[in-house]
């Protein structure tokens, strides 16, 4: 029996090697349209490959999978993050869990993952067919099983043949991107990192927290990337034009106000411009003071007054600017959208329209925030498909 895997990325290779381990007699071919396999794995995590997450701090999967969390909850009973961790270590890739619960190869190089996959594919005689673009089922008509693992398709062009087969396609839009902010005061602070900020889109429930990086074009960092994932469709519909509120101190208004009044008691003679209680960068603090108090930033804490305290609190916890677009380069690694989960059997990921056609990885309408969650979705869905093909092949 023969299986064709369309797409030589993370999900495709993981499916191939697991299927061969489950069913050694199965012939498995990977079709990759480009001349390079595992390209996204190579560059992910800054070349280190954040291959999964411990999930120890995850209380609700919807917080890390804006789309597909119910499916992932079901499939984690088949192949969990703990299973993924053990799988890589048992196949020679030692892993390490960082303080933020992100999991990387101990070698701190994505090449460890790539070498593992290529070595196993060679050992199990998986054929890797490069420069082979599949555009219809006719291209793989002599295979008993077909799995589509082509990843995201930002333009949607790579999904048309699947739509023609009757699958519902959730229109793809970018996810996990930085935001462009046209604000000269902010852009002058490029390189500054706020260790914990809260960002949200006013008038919605879309919010995220974490480190925030100020860049020459706007804002980035984990907080912004998470927000872009949660708000992927909202921002796309609105042409990437919306308000953005930043809480620079990640505190409530009451907590912020209390901290400022405490400064008046503890450091009454200090100038506002030279001393702040939140550990913010001096340059950022100066900009925020100017926004709140304009020329009154040279006041001593004892002379601030209630009205100025209220103005400063508002800027610190609700500093609003305008999103003017995505970052001025195409750095999105993840696409929101793809084959609708309504078009697949949730237990096997087999097509409801075409028997023995399966889907795994980002081609499905499943995507996660930054932190290793998208790779975990690739491992889990690929393993699920491998097991489903094994079961179907041995009936």
């Amino acid at each position: 029996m023969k299986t064709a895997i369309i797409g030589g990325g993370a999900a495709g290779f993981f499916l191939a090697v697991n299927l061969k381990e489950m069913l050694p007699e199965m012939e498995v071919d990977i079709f990759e349209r480009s001349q390079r396999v595992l390209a996204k794995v190579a560059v992910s995590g800054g070349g280190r490959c954040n291959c999964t997450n411990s999930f120890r701090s995850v209380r609700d999967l919807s917080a890390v999978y804006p789309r597909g969390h119910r499916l992932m909850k079901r499939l984690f009973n088949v192949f969990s993050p703990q299973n993924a961790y053990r799988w890589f270590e048992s196949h020679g890739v030692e892993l390490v869990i960082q303080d933020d619960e992100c999991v990387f190869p101990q070698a701190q190089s994505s090449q460890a993952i790539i070498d593992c996959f290529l070595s196993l594919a060679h050992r199990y005689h998986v054929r890797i067919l490069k420069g082979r673009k599949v555009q219809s089922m006719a291209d793989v008509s002599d295979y008993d099983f077909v799995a589509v693992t082509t990843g995201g398709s930002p333009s949607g062009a790579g999904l048309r043949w699947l739509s023609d087969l009757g699958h519902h396609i959730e229109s793809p839009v970018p996810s996990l991107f930085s935001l462009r902010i046209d604000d000269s005061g902010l852009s002058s602070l490029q390189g500054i990192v706020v260790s914990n900020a809260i960002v949200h889109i006013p008038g919605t429930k879309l919010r995220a927290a974490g480190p925030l990086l100020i860049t020459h074009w706007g804002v980035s960092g984990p907080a912004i990337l998470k927000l872009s994932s949660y708000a992927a469709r909202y921002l796309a519909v609105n042409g990437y034009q919306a308000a953005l509120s930043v809480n620079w101190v990640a505190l409530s208004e009451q907590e912020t106000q209390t901290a400022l009044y405490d400064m008046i008691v503890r450091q009454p003679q200090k100038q506002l411009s030279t001393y702040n209680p939140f550990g913010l960068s001096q340059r950022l603090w100066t900009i925020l003071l100017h926004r709140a108090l304009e020329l009154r930033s040279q006041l001593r804490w004892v002379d601030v007054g209630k009205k100025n305290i209220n103005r400063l609190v508002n800027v610190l916890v609700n500093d609003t600017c305008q999103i003017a677009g995505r970052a001025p380069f195409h750095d999105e690694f993840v696409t929101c959208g793809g084959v609708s989960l309504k078009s697949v059997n949730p237990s096997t990921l087999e097509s409801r329209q075409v028997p023995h056609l399966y889907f795994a990885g980002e081609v499905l309408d499943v995507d996660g925030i930054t932190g290793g969650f998208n790779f975990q979705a690739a491992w889990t869905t690929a393993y699920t498909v491998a097991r489903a093909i094994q079961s179907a092949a041995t009936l």
Side-chain angles (χ1 to χ4, degrees):
M1 302 190 84
K2 298 170 63 179
T3 295
I5 297 174
I6 306 170
F13 270 84
F14 201 72
L15 198 168
V17 297
N18 276 283
L19 181 56
K20 289 294 289 186
E21 289 182 342
M22 296 174 188
L23 208 61
E25 66 272 23
M26 177 70 73
E27 292 183 38
V28 179
D29 293 344
I30 295 175
F31 290 77
E32 169 54 46
R33 66 179 181 177
S34 72
Q35 293 298 324
R36 187 183 178 195
V37 295
L38 299 165
K40 187 180 286 189
V41 174
V43 298
S44 68
R48 296 191 299 138
C49 190
N50 180 187
C51 58
T52 185
N53 190 284
S54 75
F55 281 74
R56 285 194 291 240
S57 62
V58 178
R59 300 291 175 263
D60 184 345
L61 285 181
S62 66
V64 295
Y65 290 109
R67 288 149 292 272
H69 64 277
R70 291 185 181 87
L71 177 69
M72 295 309 300
K73 183 176 182 179
R74 173 196 285 259
L75 296 186
F76 278 175
N77 293 319
V78 177
F79 194 79
S80 69
Q82 293 73 32
N83 293 139
Y85 193 104
R86 288 192 291 269
W87 189 94
F88 280 105
E89 292 222 313
S90 68
H91 287 79
V93 181
E94 295 296 321
L95 301 177
V96 60
I97 303 175
Q98 295 187 160
D99 291 342
D100 61 2
E101 306 302 336
C102 294
V103 179
F104 288 86
Q106 193 173 69
Q108 296 295 305
S109 172
S110 57
Q111 197 62 44
I113 303 289
I114 294 171
D115 289 345
C116 172
F117 286 161
L118 292 178
S119 174
L120 290 171
H122 178 73
R123 183 191 308 172
Y124 298 147
H125 306 291
V126 174
R127 287 203 307 166
I128 303 170
L129 307 173
K130 300 177 183 177
R132 297 283 295 274
K133 186 176 182 179
V134 176
Q135 296 179 293
S136 72
M137 289 298 288
D139 296 335
V140 286
S141 59
D142 57 340
Y143 288 85
D144 302 284
F145 303 94
V146 176
V148 180
T149 61
T150 47
S153 178
S155 69
L159 301 172
R160 290 194 189 110
W161 71 282
L162 299 174
S163 176
D164 292 342
L165 291 172
H167 301 98
H168 178 69
I169 304 297
E170 299 290 350
S171 73
V173 297
S175 182
L176 294 185
F177 49 84
S178 304
L179 298 176
R180 183 162 59 85
I181 307 292
D182 290 336
D183 183 322
S184 58
L186 199 63
S187 61
S188 70
L189 303 175
Q190 68 178 87
I192 287 178
V193 175
V194 178
S195 60
N196 192 25
I198 299 172
V199 291
H200 83 276
I201 297 177
T204 76
K205 295 181 179 179
L206 301 166
R207 67 177 55 234
L212 181 148
L213 169 67
I214 300 174
T215 70
H216 68 276
W217 65 81
V219 286
S220 187
I224 296 298
L225 295 178
K226 282 192 282 187
L227 182 67
S228 75
S229 181
Y230 299 149
R233 292 212 175 277
Y234 177 90
L235 290 172
V237 167
N238 287 279
Y240 301 96
Q241 307 287 315
L244 175 70
S245 176
V246 182
N247 182 332
W248 297 102
V249 293
L251 297 172
S252 68
E253 287 188 10
Q254 183 60 55
E255 290 169 328
T256 305
Q257 190 176 76
T258 298
L260 295 178
Y261 278 118
D262 186 54
M263 281 295 294
I264 294 174
V265 173
R266 292 189 299 108
Q267 302 287 348
Q269 301 304 318
K270 293 281 188 181
Q271 285 188 342
L272 274 69
S273 59
T274 59
Y275 202 84
N276 80 82
F278 304 108
L280 296 174
S281 155
Q282 183 59 44
R283 287 195 295 148
L284 174 58
W285 177 248
T286 299
I287 289 287
L288 296 178
L289 280 178
H290 181 74
R291 288 187 177 182
L293 308 178
E294 297 179 342
L295 300 179
R296 294 182 291 276
S297 61
Q298 299 305 313
L299 287 172
R300 297 177 303 166
W301 278 103
V302 72
D303 299 322
V304 176
K306 182 177 179 180
K307 185 179 290 187
N308 286 333
I309 287 289
N310 291 339
R311 288 172 176 164
L312 185 52
V313 168
N314 186 58
V315 168
L316 289 171
V317 306
N318 189 31
D319 190 20
T320 302
C321 51
Q322 289 295 314
I323 298 170
R326 303 201 311 274
F329 48 82
H330 299 291
D331 62 340
E332 298 91 7
F333 274 125
V334 177
T335 301
C336 156
V339 175
S340 171
L341 302 186
K342 297 175 183 178
S343 292
V344 301
N345 180 320
S347 297
T348 63
L349 303 182
E350 183 178 14
S351 165
R352 294 188 186 276
Q353 281 69 39
V354 182
H356 293 179
L357 173 63
Y358 300 81
F359 302 96
E362 200 185 333
V363 70
L364 289 163
D365 185 27
V366 177
D367 64 281
I369 64 173
T370 185
F373 301 105
N374 286 293
F375 273 129
Q376 182 58 52
W379 316 142
T380 294
T381 55
Y383 188 91
T384 298
V385 170
R387 199 175 76 162
I389 292 175
Q390 177 203 29
S391 178
T394 54
L395 284 177

